[in-house]
Amino acid sequence: MTSQEIRQKFLDYFKSKGHLIVPSAPIVLKDDPTLMFSNSGMTQFKDFFLGYKTPTAPRIADTQKCLRVSGKHNDLDDVGRDTYHHTMFEMLGNWSFGDYFKKDAIAFAWELLTEVYGIPKENLYVTIFEGDVSENLERDQDAYDFWKSHISEDRIINGNKKDNFWEMGESGPCGPCSEIHVDLRTPEEKAKVSGLELVNNDHPQVVEVWNLVFMEFNRKADKSLEKLPAQHVDTGMGFERLCMALQGKSSNYDTDVFTPLIAKVEEHSGKKYTGILEDEKDIAIRVVVDHIRAVSFAIADGQLPSNGGAGYVIRRILRRGISYSYRFLGMKEPFLYQLVAVLQEQMGTFFPELEKQGKLVSEVIKSEEESFLRTIENGLIRVEKLIQQTIADGQKVLPTQEVFELYDTYGFPDDLTRIIAEEKGLTIDEKGFEQALNEQKQRSKADSAQKVYDWVTLEEKPENFVGYDKLESETYITRYRKVENKDGEFYQVVLSESPFYPEGGGQVGDKGILENATESFEVLETKKENGLIISLIDGLPKDAGAVFYAKVNVSERKNSQANHSVTHLLHEALREVLGTHVEQKGSFVGPDYLRFDFSHFSKMTEEELALVEDKVNAKIKENIALQEFRNIPIQEALERGAMALFGEKYGDSVRMIQFGTSMELCGGTHVKSTSEIGHFKIVSESSAAAGIRRIEAISGDKAEEYFKNLEKQIAELSQLLKSKDVVRSIEKLMEENTALKSEIDIMKKEKAKGEIGEWKGAYEQKGDKLLLVKRTSLDAGSVKDIVFQLKKEIPTSITVILSDADGKPMITVGVSDDLAGIYQAGALIKDLAKEIHGGGGGNPGFATAGGKNLDGLENAYQKALKL
């Protein structure tokens, strides 16, 4: 059975049991402050478990892309070292939202595994929750009793809270679970040791394949448990492990989920995969084929590699893959990007985003590979210098701070530093490095640390967002909670009627005021969490149950919505000018400016930028009225021509924003007509990543302010130049400047000629060699010309020139060709440059170095005399 057939059989089975089959949610989470990535199949259904939203159907099934590389669920370090952990994996799952519970969930799982897939019953074991006294939780007797009707009691194993009480994080939905384990060992191995002894003991052939979670509780911030409004079922089956079991393999990497990727790596690297667990080459291949899947899906869902947040995690995964391929597969050139085509062929049918975004994904990965390989090459030079200095200092351990700086500042893999050092008979200070790493993590953690208390509920009532129609409203607080961070103590409030737009879709959240007759609080930000609109205020009202007036900061909202509306017009204009391949890849919409990232593979020309600007401003002048469809079926919106963004999760009904021919699915706030935008001005166009361009622009008040500043600058220039024709006056100044530069260059050359004559007679005989050490204030170009001339005209010579031109120390060394085999200019310059706190380099015959310590030139002069 192929992996594609295995996946399809799962979906078909649950469809036959009355489940709605839904597509996978994006792997990257954009509107959940508690998670960066979907780390389990239930993530997209969290609001249903908590009762914040009503599910589209009581029974649902899907295959969900998951990523576990941070926080509590982190499998990154295990990947490659064993045969069954992955960063990105598929989670086959079925859910019941207040419909069936333990009995049916257990029956479905057993029937699918044993009758549909045909796994021998004697190969299966199950676990149940044994209870926990500290939590006042009893043994899951119901699960035990239901399992008894399917499997012998000696195969039902008690499991502790760690293994059999599932929690998605520090807080949130949770409950007892029942795991199904499969024993894939040979009959001979089974005869020696019972599978009972190997369940949950990290045996590579006795693995958990399915987890049935019975959601009954919500874990609160104070660690207490409260009953959920209804009982739910959340199951997750590891697709890769299931394929291993059904294809009769002993490793996930031997299944057809990975073998096509492995074959491509073998083809490019010339290395043969043998499947040996400890073999570094095989570990590297496993790392590469695992990581390329995680990175490809993340990029396809809209998360580009970057230096912060989720983007940093993706960059780290990719760089780990590149590092392993460089070190153990000998791959010095980009090649991971070529695996994307193989992945598309394997998974494109079930995950169309790979087909649609394939070119972009491969371009981004290739660019990241090129960049990181340059980092490695530059790092190798730094490591070599560090090793040479350590040896010269008579030490055996590389300095901890420099090793950590290589890792932290330059991104050079610490294990590669370790390997190179060991080849030279040196080591690194492991404890010191770990301490530096932990200190950095603690600093980072302290910067983002936040303590969030439990909600205090004042009234159980649905909250209502009125911000599309109102900028202020009478309201009251339905719930609040305290928040503590490095800036102090604040309170998050949920309002019965909120005009504050919550951050989302690239648009910043509203700020404003929450006040009544006796109190006033500043609304610092507004966000959305688990379906709730949450505003952060700078204190707790004395009477939290009083009636308040919520007032949005009108000026900021007006500017933000103008910028948001203009991004829609910009998107349409870019597609008209550059082509329909242009798709939005990210945006920021604030009151001061907008940023728009889009797919395009070359720098825009000035003509293209001007044309885009003109098209947008023409739409603004047309005064096109907003057409808003607040609750339109998604299929109808798409048929009308609305743009849907990859990586976004849409419901069955959506909000569509239309300005004439511009139609997009969008939840943001917008102007009533395009004329309210005022004017649109592109400030910059640049590269955001490979295949991604970025436009930053302004509109409305900021555009007006921009042109006023330009007018002011031109007026000031006109006054300085004493001319109304500013352009012609500047051209004239530039012509004069060029002429003066030519005169200066002539004077410099004349001065240099005079110096050459003097310097030729200043060489000192040192045995059978000649040495010139000279101080000067000549510029770098003149010194270089003189040194090259001297090393040609004065045989068997070394020339050292120390310059203080423009108050900056510089040393230049020239070695005549007949001494190049004995003396190296690069080695001499390295030694002398220490005195000026600098560095440099060159070739055996010529080298230069700049520095920071001007006073050090005298020491360098004395040291050079001793050469």
Side-chain angles (χ1 to χ4, degrees):
M1 212 184 307
T2 67
S3 56
Q4 286 90 340
E5 290 169 337
I6 291 168
R7 188 191 288 112
Q8 193 62 56
K9 276 185 182 292
F10 177 88
L11 298 174
D12 290 344
Y13 173 80
F14 279 102
K15 188 175 182 180
S16 74
K17 299 297 181 182
H19 290 67
L20 174 69
I21 308 303
V22 299
S24 170
I27 204 169
V28 182
L29 299 176
K30 297 181 179 175
D31 293 321
D32 187 339
T34 64
L35 287 171
M36 286 183 183
F37 307 101
S38 287
N39 64 0
S40 66
M42 65 82 67
T43 305
Q44 66 167 310
F45 306 120
K46 191 167 62 168
D47 289 353
F48 300 161
F49 293 130
L50 291 169
Y52 296 140
K53 288 184 180 177
T54 303
T56 50
R59 300 182 178 196
I60 285 176
D62 73 353
T63 177
Q64 172 65 45
K65 302 169 292 187
C66 300
L67 196 64
R68 290 188 177 175
V69 288
S70 59
K72 177 183 174 184
H73 300 291
N74 187 351
D75 295 336
L76 184 61
D77 293 335
D78 294 320
V79 174
R81 300 285 169 188
D82 62 27
T83 60
Y84 53 91
H85 277 102
H86 303 289
T87 48
M88 179 264 170
F89 59 95
E90 280 187 68
M91 187 74 84
L92 301 170
N94 59 289
W95 286 269
S96 165
F97 305 108
D99 187 8
Y100 62 84
F101 201 46
K102 296 179 185 179
K103 182 178 180 179
D104 288 333
I106 288 169
F108 289 154
W110 188 256
E111 182 181 27
L112 178 62
L113 290 177
T114 61
E115 296 183 28
V116 177
Y117 286 137
I119 296 177
K121 297 177 182 179
E122 61 271 18
N123 287 353
L124 296 173
Y125 297 88
V126 299
T127 64
I128 63 159
F129 180 49
E130 67 184 8
D132 188 274
V133 176
S134 66
E135 297 268 19
N136 198 27
L137 294 169
E138 297 180 353
R139 181 175 187 255
D140 194 350
Q141 189 63 40
D142 286 344
Y144 182 84
D145 292 338
F146 293 136
W147 274 119
K148 277 197 309 183
S149 63
H150 301 288
I151 192 171
S152 60
E153 293 180 54
D154 62 349
R155 289 174 172 269
I156 306 174
I157 305 164
N158 282 335
N160 58 25
K161 182 183 167 188
K162 177 179 176 290
D163 292 323
N164 281 87
F165 193 87
W166 197 91
E167 304 191 56
M168 71 167 297
E170 296 298 323
S171 61
C174 56
C177 63
S178 191
E179 298 173 344
I180 305 172
H181 296 253
V182 61
D183 188 347
L184 303 175
R185 296 174 300 152
T186 64
E188 293 76 20
E189 290 172 313
K190 291 174 183 175
K192 292 177 185 176
V193 181
S194 168
L196 282 169
E197 299 176 33
L198 301 176
V199 169
N200 276 332
N201 277 311
D202 292 326
H203 192 286
Q205 270 79 57
V206 183
V207 294
E208 174 197 342
V209 70
W210 205 346
N211 191 11
L212 315 180
V213 181
F214 310 120
M215 291 287 188
E216 299 182 58
F217 304 102
N218 179 38
R219 175 76 69 185
K220 299 176 72 176
D222 65 4
K223 304 307 175 190
S224 64
L225 294 172
E226 65 178 4
K227 278 282 189 179
L228 288 170
Q231 293 178 323
H232 310 292
V233 169
D234 157 29
T235 87
M237 177 154 54
F239 174 67
E240 293 80 7
R241 294 184 184 184
L242 178 63
C243 290
M244 177 175 69
L246 296 181
Q247 294 180 3
K249 304 297 183 183
S250 58
S251 162
N252 289 359
Y253 294 94
D254 293 335
T255 69
D256 70 343
V257 176
F258 290 101
T259 50
L261 290 166
I262 289 173
K264 193 72 172 176
V265 175
E266 289 177 325
E267 176 190 327
H268 278 277
S269 67
K271 310 283 187 184
K272 190 70 179 171
Y273 181 70
T274 58
I276 298 172
L277 206 58
E278 296 82 11
D279 185 277
E280 288 180 331
K281 159 184 59 67
D282 288 354
I283 291 171
I285 292 175
R286 287 192 289 269
V287 166
V288 166
V289 298
D290 171 274
H291 288 11
I292 196 65
R293 297 188 342 139
V295 170
S296 296
F297 274 104
I299 295 172
D301 277 344
Q303 182 55 66
L304 298 172
S306 66
N307 288 329
Y312 173 72
V313 175
I314 299 307
R315 177 166 281 168
R316 182 179 168 222
I317 297 171
L318 180 52
R319 287 187 167 188
R320 187 171 187 260
I322 299 167
S323 177
Y324 268 84
S325 69
Y326 181 93
R327 290 156 48 205
F328 302 116
L329 302 179
M331 302 304 293
K332 312 297 188 199
E333 299 293 331
F335 94 101
L336 269 68
Y337 74 97
Q338 296 187 45
L339 299 175
V340 175
V342 180
L343 198 59
Q344 280 180 287
E345 191 174 332
Q346 282 181 277
M347 305 182 76
T349 302
F350 283 91
F351 301 100
E353 60 271 27
L354 272 182
E355 286 291 326
K356 178 74 174 174
Q357 304 294 313
K359 183 181 179 185
L360 173 69
V361 172
S362 60
E363 287 283 344
V364 171
I365 291 174
K366 184 180 180 183
S367 175
E368 286 287 315
E369 285 189 89
E370 290 170 342
S371 173
F372 189 52
L373 287 170
R374 284 195 298 270
T375 295
I376 290 177
E377 294 296 340
N378 292 335
L380 289 172
I381 296 170
R382 292 178 185 276
V383 171
E384 187 58 38
K385 286 182 178 178
L386 185 58
I387 286 173
Q388 293 302 325
Q389 187 60 53
T390 304
I391 293 172
D393 293 342
Q395 302 297 315
K396 289 289 184 181
V397 181
L398 295 183
T400 301
Q401 192 55 44
E402 280 83 345
V403 172
F404 183 71
E405 185 182 22
L406 274 166
Y407 167 80
D408 189 48
T409 304
Y410 299 104
F412 191 77
D414 59 290
D415 46 0
L416 189 50
T417 303
R418 188 179 295 108
I419 290 168
I420 297 168
E422 288 172 355
E423 289 173 353
K424 303 285 188 178
L426 305 176
T427 61
I428 71 170
D429 178 5
E430 301 287 355
K431 286 186 178 178
F433 182 83
E434 282 300 316
Q435 183 179 343
L437 188 60
N438 287 330
E439 286 173 358
Q440 186 240 36
K441 285 180 179 177
Q442 290 305 317
R443 285 193 298 271
S444 177
K445 197 172 181 180
D447 287 342
S448 60
Q450 178 166 281
K451 184 176 182 181
V452 180
Y453 291 76
D454 285 317
W455 287 111
V456 176
T457 302
L458 302 179
E459 183 173 340
E460 290 284 357
K461 183 179 178 181
E463 294 82 17
N464 187 29
F465 173 62
V466 296
Y468 293 140
D469 304 308
K470 301 179 182 178
L471 291 176
E472 59 180 78
S473 66
E474 185 176 281
T475 188
Y476 55 88
I477 298 170
T478 61
R479 64 182 84 188
Y480 67 86
R481 67 183 178 190
K482 187 163 74 169
V483 175
E484 294 174 354
N485 58 35
K486 63 183 179 66
D487 295 321
E489 183 178 289
F490 303 92
Y491 285 85
Q492 292 179 335
V493 297
V494 178
L495 304 176
S496 61
E497 208 173 77
S498 177
F500 300 114
Y501 175 78
E503 179 183 323
Q507 183 175 335
V508 298
D510 280 334
K511 298 177 181 179
I513 298 292
L514 186 66
E515 65 181 5
N516 59 23
T518 59
E519 294 182 280
S520 179
F521 299 92
E522 185 179 357
V523 176
L524 303 168
E525 65 178 24
T526 306
K527 296 192 174 186
K528 200 167 191 177
E529 180 183 325
N530 296 329
L532 297 175
I533 295 175
I534 300 170
S535 292
L536 186 72
I537 60 177
D538 58 355
L540 179 67
K542 292 172 185 173
D543 181 7
V547 174
F548 285 86
Y549 289 91
K551 299 179 179 179
V552 173
N553 183 314
V554 176
S555 173
E556 290 197 357
R557 163 72 85 84
K558 178 188 165 202
N559 289 333
S560 291
Q561 66 188 23
N563 279 336
H564 202 152
S565 296
V566 89
T567 61
H568 288 210
L569 304 182
L570 171 62
H571 193 182
E572 183 182 37
L574 286 167
R575 288 170 65 84
E576 289 175 358
V577 172
L578 302 178
T580 55
H581 65 280
V582 168
E583 289 182 353
Q584 181 178 334
K585 292 299 172 187
S587 68
F588 170 83
V589 176
D592 296 330
Y593 74 101
L594 67 94
R595 184 178 67 236
F596 191 79
D597 295 346
F598 58 97
S599 52
H600 187 55
F601 295 95
S602 61
K603 180 178 173 62
M604 289 181 66
T605 65
E606 292 297 327
E607 291 77 16
E608 287 169 339
L609 288 168
L611 185 54
V612 166
E613 258 189 20
D614 289 343
K615 282 181 173 289
V616 172
N617 282 311
K619 295 274 186 179
I620 292 171
K621 289 175 184 175
E622 281 182 45
N623 192 23
I624 302 168
L626 165 69
Q627 288 180 272
E628 180 188 14
F629 303 84
R630 288 198 187 170
N631 199 25
I632 183 174
I634 187 168
Q635 198 54 44
E636 183 184 339
L638 295 175
E639 286 169 1
R640 288 187 181 211
M643 291 286 294
L645 306 181
F646 267 92
E648 295 291 341
K649 181 69 177 174
Y650 297 105
D652 295 330
S653 294
V654 293
R655 180 169 177 257
M656 186 177 86
I657 296 298
Q658 181 172 355
F659 288 105
T661 52
S662 166
M663 289 175 277
E664 295 198 19
L665 305 184
C666 180
T669 65
H670 290 273
V671 297
K672 298 303 179 188
S673 69
T674 58
S675 62
E676 292 179 27
I677 297 168
H679 191 83
F680 171 73
K681 175 63 186 172
I682 294 174
V683 176
S684 68
E685 190 271 353
S686 60
S687 172
I692 306 290
R693 303 301 298 179
R694 169 171 292 171
I695 280 178
E696 292 195 1
I698 50 179
S699 71
D701 294 343
K702 293 297 176 182
E704 188 177 330
E705 186 180 311
Y706 174 85
F707 287 112
K708 281 183 178 177
N709 285 336
L710 278 182
E711 284 181 359
K712 184 181 177 185
Q713 288 175 23
I714 291 171
E716 289 174 353
L717 280 171
S718 181
Q719 192 171 356
L720 282 171
L721 296 167
K722 295 181 172 53
S723 168
K724 290 185 178 180
D725 191 347
V726 173
V727 174
R728 179 62 198 125
S729 295
I730 291 175
E731 285 176 347
K732 189 177 179 183
L733 279 176
M734 291 172 69
E735 289 167 3
E736 291 174 359
N737 189 50
T738 301
L740 288 170
K741 274 187 174 181
S742 297
E743 289 179 23
I744 291 170
D745 287 341
I746 292 169
M747 291 170 65
K748 280 182 179 179
K749 287 177 182 177
E750 289 299 321
K751 185 178 180 183
K753 283 180 184 177
E755 297 278 6
I756 288 175
E758 180 190 336
W759 291 4
K760 279 183 182 179
Y763 278 89
E764 295 183 39
Q765 192 75 36
K766 297 282 185 176
D768 58 349
K769 293 172 283 294
L770 293 170
L771 174 67
L772 172 67
V773 181
K774 196 75 176 171
R775 290 284 298 266
T776 184
S777 295
L778 286 175
D779 64 282
S782 299
V783 170
K784 180 180 178 182
D785 291 341
I786 294 174
V787 170
F788 265 98
Q789 187 171 339
L790 290 172
K791 64 186 278 245
K792 282 181 183 177
E793 295 184 14
I794 312 294
T796 323
S797 69
I798 294 175
T799 306
V800 181
I801 308 300
L802 305 102
S803 170
D804 57 8
D806 300 322
K808 296 177 181 177
M810 191 190 76
I811 303 173
T812 304
V813 175
V815 177
S816 61
D817 292 345
D818 53 351
L819 289 181
I822 304 169
Y823 294 94
Q824 300 284 317
L828 297 175
I829 204 78
K830 182 179 179 182
D831 188 32
L832 296 173
K834 292 177 186 176
E835 304 300 331
I836 58 171
H837 301 171
N843 55 49
F846 180 84
T848 61
K852 302 173 184 175
N853 180 23
L854 190 63
D855 294 336
L857 280 176
E858 182 56 35
N859 290 339
Y861 181 86
Q862 297 301 327
K863 184 181 278 190
L865 288 175
K866 298 173 184 176
L867 289 174

